[in-house]
Amino acid sequence: MPFRRDISSKIRLRFPTIDSFIHAGLLTQKEYEVLANLHEECETIRWMTPLHWIQQIMREEEEENKPSAALLNSFMTELKVYRQSLRKLFCYDWVCLPLVYTQVAALATYASFFFALFGRQHLIPDINAKNEIDLIIPIFTIVQFLFFVGWFKVGQDLMRPFGLDDDDIELNYILDRNFAISFAIVNRLQTVKLVEPENDQLWNNRERKVGSLPHSIYSCNLSEHRPKLHSYIKIPENDKEEVISCIKSYRKQK
């Protein structure tokens, strides 16, 4: 959680300080003190501490309850993948494009079209001699300007996907969703009893031919494009005998 706060402006505004995690119930006072002490010693190790706690919990679980090696190995593999993903996000936020690159790109884009306003104007002698067509409005230059400037703006938005723009990644929603689903898996799905199997409608009609599933009034009029072989050619009934005779004659020639 502190890691997401470090790379996302929305999460930082939602949790301005580490104390905010304590008030939200995501962190205890003892855990906060441990993280604070580690942050004083090394500023870049705080986000790895919860992962280390998970490894210690799994080590204690292995010593006490002896889970299967396959289950433990699968869990540690997923934890490793999760840590690698966090490292990628950290590096992406840490090693960003130099500011001079964006400045040069902006200067080159706008300067190019500034000089194009003068360089692409037709000379009056050429217009009077009817060697050039004066369109008055530079249509192609406007289209080119919209294309390159739009491309440049899209590149600027992609530089910071965890910002405050409307098109940025909604980490607040992802945080709330993952928080709700994680507790639902532990508190609800693990406690729900397995539903006993019973004879349903398909089982009662198992001796009949299996038909298609029913449609609603909204999907019954939709067109269907069933897959078929590209080499499939429908041959009329009258031409089947001729095709068979041609195949026989071809085999005799061989």
Side-chain angles (χ1 to χ4, degrees), residues 66-114:
K66 303 294 182 181
S68 62
L71 181 62
L72 183 62
N73 187 25
S74 177
F75 181 85
M76 297 305 295
T77 301
E78 293 297 330
L79 184 63
K80 179 181 177 181
V81 173
Y82 182 74
R83 181 186 179 279
Q84 291 176 350
S85 301
L86 291 180
R87 171 60 67 179
K88 289 181 181 179
L89 289 176
F90 182 78
C91 293
Y92 181 83
D93 183 72
W94 178 38
V95 184
C96 58
L97 290 176
L99 183 61
V100 66
Y101 285 3
T102 58
Q103 292 176 348
V104 169
L107 180 62
T109 302
Y110 292 113
S112 173
F113 287 102
F114 175 76

Side-chain angles (χ1 to χ4, degrees), residues 2-12 43-44 46-47 84-99 157-164 168-169 171:
F3 175 77
R4 286 187 177 181
R5 178 179 169 272
D6 292 337
I7 66 173
S8 174
S9 301
K10 294 181 180 179
I11 300 297
R12 181 172 287 274
E43 296 181 357
T44 59
R46 183 174 60 184
W47 69 273
Q84 291 176 350
S85 301
L86 291 180
R87 171 60 67 179
K88 289 181 181 179
L89 289 176
F90 182 78
C91 293
Y92 181 83
D93 183 72
W94 178 38
V95 184
C96 58
L97 290 176
L99 183 61
D157 292 336
L158 293 177
M159 286 179 58
R160 186 168 178 79
F162 304 117
L164 299 176
D168 290 335
I169 299 176
L171 283 183

